[in-house]
Amino acid sequence: MAFGAEEARGGNGTLYAFGSRHFVASLTGAERSAIRGMVALDRVGVRAAAVPVCHVAGADPSLADAIRAAAGPVATLACTNKASDHVSFQKLGIPAARLGSVPYPAYHSARDVPSVVDPAQLSRSGAVLWAWIRSLR
């Protein structure tokens, strides 16, 4: 699923992820407990030597660790962050991780165009996610 209004809008960096926050607030208890994990895909195609697999800073890294373990030969990088749609889920106790999040100078500028996407990195990111999904059987 896709969420809108993810980017920070002020509040000293606290006003963000409006779509995912609304979604998780509407979940029933049964729906929450049925979710095995949430993986946010964010900047997954930006050229990098490895696929970043992040967990929320200060939270349980188990989901990110499981994704990295399932990645097989694809190089991954453990990281933490505190702002994206996965945070909305983690705050409710739903395991969450974020793939991507590669920083680059053109981010949110006029130079942030489709040519920034590196097909090889996008493929590696997809391979990591697919490997984790297959591991859930």
Side-chain angles (χ1 to χ4, degrees):
M1 92 179 36
F3 296 112
E6 180 265 339
E7 300 297 337
R9 302 283 188 254
N12 205 19
T14 61
L15 298 176
Y16 67 95
F18 294 98
S20 60
R21 285 170 43 199
H22 175 77
F23 176 78
V24 298
S26 71
L27 293 172
T28 66
E31 289 169 331
R32 286 181 190 175
S33 63
I35 299 173
R36 297 197 43 192
M38 186 281 196
V39 181
L41 306 178
D42 196 343
R43 290 180 270 153
V44 294
V46 178
R47 185 179 311 275
V51 176
V53 182
C54 309
H55 69 279
V56 176
D60 181 358
S62 298
L63 179 58
D65 292 345
I67 293 167
R68 293 185 66 230
V74 179
T76 61
L77 171 69
C79 49
T80 59
N81 56 45
K82 58 184 178 184
S84 194
D85 287 311
H86 66 306
V87 175
S88 301
F89 290 77
Q90 188 70 54
K91 284 183 177 179
L92 291 180
I94 298 169
R98 178 178 176 180
L99 256 64
S101 193
V102 176
Y104 61 103
Y107 185 58
H108 285 191
S109 76
R111 295 176 292 120
D112 195 358
V113 295
S115 61
V116 169
V117 176
D118 173 41
Q121 181 71 355
L122 189 59
S123 178
R124 285 189 293 273
S125 297
V128 168
L129 183 61
W130 183 240
W132 172 71
I133 290 170
R134 284 193 345 238
S135 77
L136 296 175
R137 294 183 205 168

